[in-house]
Amino acid sequence: RLVKFTRLCKMLRASCRWLSLAICFTAVSSFQHAPSLVLRSTRSPALSRRGSVSSARMALGADLGKLFGGIGQANRIGSFRQEASPVQAKVSGMREGDKLGILFLNLGGPEKLDEVEDFLFNLFNDEDIIRLPNALKPLQGFIARGIASRRAPGSREAYESIGGGSPIVKLTEEQGDNLEKELKKIGIDAKVYIGMRYWYPFTEEATDQILSDGVNRLVIIPLYPQYSISTTGSSIRLLDQIIRQDPKQWDPRRVDHTVVPDWYDHPGYLATQAKLILKELDEFKRTPKDVKVMFSAHGVPESYVEAGDPYKGQIERCAELIMEEVNKGRKEEDRYDYTLCFQSRVGPVKWLEPYTDDVLKQLGEEGLKNLVVVPLSFVSEHVETLEEIDQEYREVAEEAGITNFKRVPALNSDPLFIQALVDITVGALNRPSLRVSETLDLYQKSNDMPGYPWEFGVTRAAEQWNGRLAMLGIAALAVAQVYKSGHCPTIDGPAIAGKEPFCAAFSADGWEWLFAAVQSLYN
């Protein structure tokens, strides 16, 4: 009877699985008609395995992209290849009377030389940039001030060489103005807000203005195509803090917000990059082997990637997709070659390799004369492109023997890129909302994430370990009691192998009975 009952349970469990699957398919098919559904993210089992966190996140991102980010829509690139034309929008997620806001998140930069040191302090005071052991976290501000003070003179020279300040705020405002105009053309009234992480206008200012304006639909677009915990992750973490401080004002029923966590493989973004690269490659149409394309992306510490940061994988895939578009229609022997490297490393820790300056020296040693440099992770000009690439790396290249050094401009307000932002916005409105907290769960919950180990207080980690230790203590006490007394305590309940359940769990007879019961299922 026990065997029959066990088999019956298995059949019921299988039936429930099929029923759950059918319900899921029905729910997914109705997503496009649901204006404000919330998808509760769950962690993939692969995320908990050491060494496979990054690959698991890449796979998870590809699956979720169909819902949240337009990922994997390479077949749409062709529609963006020609001159930009208005996207035909059909926004099923907008309701009559909705007030739409779009929040651009970016790094920020000092606009005057006397702002440089304070900007650097804000940068290095961020725990997602400078990660200290818990014991040293109270000293974060002191250490950040020291680093900022030491680096300020060199940074002032860099900003002075590009006109006395960063153009990133002005360029971001232009991108926002152009996006508003293009959305207006397709019947969508929206206001773009700018939230910089480390300088004015700060993210806190933008969120205050959003609430003041009565925005009830908000699309959050980090102007970082690839997700990293040090860029998008830092801004999203700050937003999460802001929302938790005032949950009533940010109630999803009052402000229905959604995040576009990454868009490195969006067709419009890829098409814009390919167009700008092909313009610089024009003189090498007939001699593609005489030139090389070098993607230079902002680096991050290797420890971030080892802990699960998807940045490196997204950068590599992004460069690959762009070059597929650049080489479209060309024979294998006539395809342009490319390489990928990382710039802007800071401090003594190991960053992603190869480093841009090392690659330039190596290419020079190989006899390369013509080079087209692509600033991959930057959507607007700032000090890393105008000074670091245009001046420092150009000098390194010339010393290495590279005589024809060309640099692809950043996307800025290229019409094709603005159309890509329109498509990203419309797509985010048509998909179920991805909340700020859910974004952090999807991208930054890892057992190995640096900088977030043991913490004192009531935390998830503390509760988890408290529970494990408590269960271990109870089990040890039970085993000791059975072995010491030689018999089981009296407990009301059914007998297993002639013993009480409590005793059977720690006896050879109990385990033998369990093994026999399982074996009988397969006979």
Side-chain angles (χ1 to χ4, degrees), residues 16-31:
C16 289
R17 286 175 180 171
W18 283 108
L19 181 59
S20 300
L21 189 60
I23 293 172
C24 289
F25 275 121
T26 304
V28 170
S29 66
S30 65
F31 273 167

Side-chain angles (χ1 to χ4, degrees), residues 246-471:
D246 196 352
K248 184 177 180 181
Q249 290 289 336
W250 289 98
D251 189 307
R253 292 167 294 185
R254 178 173 290 186
V255 183
D256 183 6
H257 74 268
T258 186
V259 180
V260 182
D262 56 53
W263 38 276
Y264 66 95
D265 56 357
H266 185 276
Y269 169 66
L270 299 175
T272 309
Q273 287 281 26
K275 182 191 76 170
L276 296 174
I277 294 171
L278 285 169
K279 185 176 180 181
E280 299 299 324
L281 290 172
D282 188 64
E283 64 180 282
F284 303 103
K285 281 183 179 179
R286 301 184 183 278
T287 57
K289 299 305 179 184
D290 291 344
V291 66
K292 178 164 283 193
V293 176
M294 185 181 82
F295 291 98
S296 185
H298 201 293
V300 298
E302 275 195 351
S303 60
Y304 287 24
V305 177
E306 291 170 356
D309 193 337
Y311 179 74
K312 182 174 183 286
Q314 291 187 359
I315 282 285
E316 292 171 342
R317 181 57 180 159
C318 183
E320 180 182 345
L321 290 172
I322 291 172
M323 288 308 295
E324 287 179 5
E325 183 68 11
V326 168
N327 286 313
K328 185 172 291 185
R330 301 185 72 90
K331 297 179 180 179
E332 186 66 31
E333 61 272 15
D334 292 332
R335 294 169 70 89
Y336 295 106
D337 192 16
Y338 78 97
T339 187
L340 171 64
C341 49
F342 299 91
Q343 65 180 81
S344 308
R345 64 186 185 272
V346 178
V349 299
K350 188 174 182 180
W351 285 49
L352 290 181
E353 294 180 317
Y355 302 137
T356 299
D357 49 352
D358 292 341
V359 171
L360 288 171
K361 294 173 185 177
Q362 180 182 345
L363 293 176
E365 291 174 358
E366 294 172 358
L368 183 73
K369 300 299 180 184
N370 305 299
L371 183 67
V372 173
V373 182
V374 184
L376 185 56
S377 51
F378 311 98
V379 300
S380 55
E381 304 288 3
H382 54 300
V383 70
E384 280 89 350
T385 60
L386 298 173
E387 192 276 334
E388 190 172 7
I389 294 179
D390 288 355
Q391 298 179 36
E392 293 183 29
Y393 291 146
R394 181 184 293 275
E395 183 177 343
V396 173
E398 290 174 351
E399 290 178 357
I402 300 173
T403 55
N404 186 12
F405 182 94
K406 306 179 76 173
R407 202 262 289 178
V408 173
L411 305 181
N412 297 323
S413 287
D414 185 284
L416 205 57
F417 177 54
I418 299 301
Q419 288 302 321
L421 291 176
V422 171
D423 190 60
I424 289 171
T425 302
V426 173
L429 291 169
N430 284 334
R431 289 186 293 273
S433 297
L434 179 65
R435 307 301 185 197
V436 163
S437 59
E438 293 170 339
T439 303
L440 292 175
D441 285 338
L442 283 171
Y443 284 82
Q444 295 191 209
K445 288 297 179 68
S446 166
N447 294 333
D448 298 332
M449 191 62 70
Y452 300 98
W454 293 91
E455 293 182 335
F456 292 103
V458 181
T459 64
R460 290 184 180 180
E463 290 301 309
Q464 184 182 54
W465 281 102
N466 285 342
R468 290 175 179 175
L469 291 173
M471 293 303 297

Side-chain angles (χ1 to χ4, degrees), residues 66-132:
K66 297 175 183 178
L67 290 176
F68 297 123
I71 297 175
Q73 301 179 44
N75 59 325
R76 295 173 50 215
I77 295 179
S79 63
F80 285 90
R81 295 186 69 188
Q82 304 301 322
E83 194 60 35
S85 58
V87 176
Q88 297 302 313
K90 182 180 179 182
V91 185
S92 60
M94 289 286 288
R95 300 177 296 269
E96 186 177 354
D98 277 349
K99 193 166 186 179
L100 176 62
I102 300 166
L103 176 58
F104 279 171
L105 300 176
N106 212 332
L107 187 80
E111 296 183 270
K112 300 176 182 178
L113 295 180
D114 59 5
E115 299 173 346
V116 170
E117 184 171 339
D118 289 337
F119 164 76
L120 292 175
F121 169 77
N122 292 336
L123 178 70
F124 296 121
N125 197 39
D126 182 2
E127 293 184 8
D128 285 314
I129 299 296
I130 299 294
R131 292 177 172 267
L132 299 175

Side-chain angles (χ1 to χ4, degrees), residues 86 155 176 187:
S155 294

